[in-house]
Amino acid sequence: MVKIADIELPDFPLLLAPMEDVSDPPFRALCKEQGADVVYTEFISSEGLIRDAAKSTMKLDIYEKERPVGIQIFGANLDSMLEAVDIVEKSNPDIIDINFGCPVKKVVSKGAGAGILKDVCLMESLTAEIVKRTKLPVTVKTRLGWDHDSIKIVEVAERLQDVGCKAISIHGRTRAQMYKGNADWKPIAEVKNNPRMHIPVFGNGDVNTPERAVEMRDKYGLDGAMIGRATIGNPWFFKQVKHYFKTGEHLPPITLEERVEAAKRHLQMAIDWKGEKLGVFETRRHYTNYFKGIPHFKEYRMKMVTSDDSKDVFAAFDEVLENFKDYQFVS
Ligand SMILES: Cc1cc2nc3c(=O)[nH]c(=O)nc-3n(C[C@H](O)[C@H](O)[C@H](O)COP(=O)(O)O)c2cc1C
């Protein structure tokens, strides 16, 4: 069993990675149903939260059914982050996660996200103060380091643990790599193999097949996998990995009926959450992923993404179901 503070998780838990514009409540709910053991929100700006910016506060919404859920915040200013922690606590998540890994310029230039990897002392002190501020378990998500020449993730992880961080998820790339090249899991295994480490060490980056998840577990000996891109349009990935763990075999490809069902439920949950207009609008980006592979999907996609009326979108789903009954998906 793996534990984040008092939260008990199965052996080698699978975590849905925080993903801006992807891991909103409807998507998290779908992933949870398909076997995600922990889900994380999109990252939330602590500055946005304390200014009560609608975009940030909306991201605080969580549902009972998705627990355990972590709310992720980012920032670089201690006072703002502490104030943000107080706001986050009111939403009563199971975990507060700090983003020390986002590589985008807009975030890094303010010293937040992966920007903090240039100042490990600040990273440590921010974590320490946030831990002191809240009764909730605090976890950290980060990268291997700023660049190849400055990787000291073993030391960083130990220092974060020592100030009370309850689990660490490490993306096996540096900030300089952005998303290029392959994630390197060796340094993450070094963190795990440090005899002083006792908190869970989760690996992240390029877990895109069940085989890769097995490799992360068996070859690298990590405590669990945090999975991002492989779940986009494929919340079934969690179930596929768990089935493979249990049987050594792959599940049959997800059927068209399952895909249409998921798309419909996603849209309905989004409407229930945000109302018709926003729900229809914000679910649009997911359709291409759900129906990846269908020939000439563009024609149907246009119908799904041009109407503001959910009835038209639901009708387009039914049309796909009707017209591609015999289409064989590959995964
Ligand atoms: C669309 C997208 C949005 C992301 N947003 C966040 C975010 O809000 N917070 C965060 O810590 N990481 C974010 N990430 C990084 C992922 O959590 C993850 O670390 C990265 O994609 C590598 O894992 P993967 O190979 O399983 O996708 C994002 C990644 C993508 C693709």
Side-chain angles (χ1 to χ4, degrees), residues 17-20 43 72 99 141 171 179 204-206 227-229:
M19 282 184 286
E20 162 87 332
F43 71 170
Q72 189 190 63
N99 177 320
K141 176 164 180 277
H171 179 184
Y179 285 90
N204 172 240
D206 302 350
I227 306 165
R229 289 167 294 178

Side-chain angles (χ1 to χ4, degrees), residues 32-50:
K32 174 80 187 181
E33 284 169 20
Q34 299 300 331
D37 296 299
V38 182
V39 297
Y40 285 91
T41 64
E42 308 166 68
F43 71 170
I44 311 182
S45 156
S46 37
E47 304 294 340
L49 274 184
I50 66 177

Side-chain angles (χ1 to χ4, degrees), residues 16-23 41-44 59 72 74 97-103 141-143 170-173 179 183 204-208 226-232:
L16 171 66
M19 282 184 286
E20 162 87 332
D21 287 338
V22 178
S23 50
T41 64
E42 308 166 68
F43 71 170
I44 311 182
K59 290 180 180 172
Q72 189 190 63
F74 71 97
D97 187 69
I98 317 174
N99 177 320
F100 288 145
C102 177
K141 176 164 180 277
T142 189
R143 288 185 171 230
I170 304 169
H171 179 184
R173 288 185 175 85
Y179 285 90
N204 172 240
D206 302 350
V207 178
N208 46 23
M226 177 179 268
I227 306 165
R229 289 167 294 178
T231 70
I232 299 180

Side-chain angles (χ1 to χ4, degrees), residues 220-267:
Y220 291 85
L222 303 183
D223 290 310
M226 177 179 268
I227 306 165
R229 289 167 294 178
T231 70
I232 299 180
N234 186 17
W236 303 279
F237 190 67
F238 295 100
K239 160 171 107 170
Q240 290 166 336
V241 170
K242 286 190 167 177
H243 182 81
Y244 190 78
F245 279 172
K246 222 188 283 171
T247 64
E249 285 173 17
H250 288 270
L251 277 172
I254 305 302
T255 62
L256 181 63
E257 284 78 6
E258 288 172 285
R259 289 166 195 271
V260 169
E261 229 252 332
K264 283 184 174 177
R265 295 208 34 245
H266 196 145
L267 175 57

Side-chain angles (χ1 to χ4, degrees), residues 83-123:
E83 236 184 284
V85 166
D86 296 344
I87 296 169
V88 167
E89 264 199 335
K90 291 192 194 121
S91 292
N92 196 23
D94 302 280
I95 295 166
I96 294 184
D97 187 69
I98 317 174
N99 177 320
F100 288 145
C102 177
V104 306
K105 216 172 182 176
K106 193 175 76 184
V107 172
V108 167
S109 61
K110 297 195 179 102
I116 209 108
L117 285 162
K118 281 177 157 177
D119 186 349
V120 176
C121 287
L122 180 61
M123 189 177 185

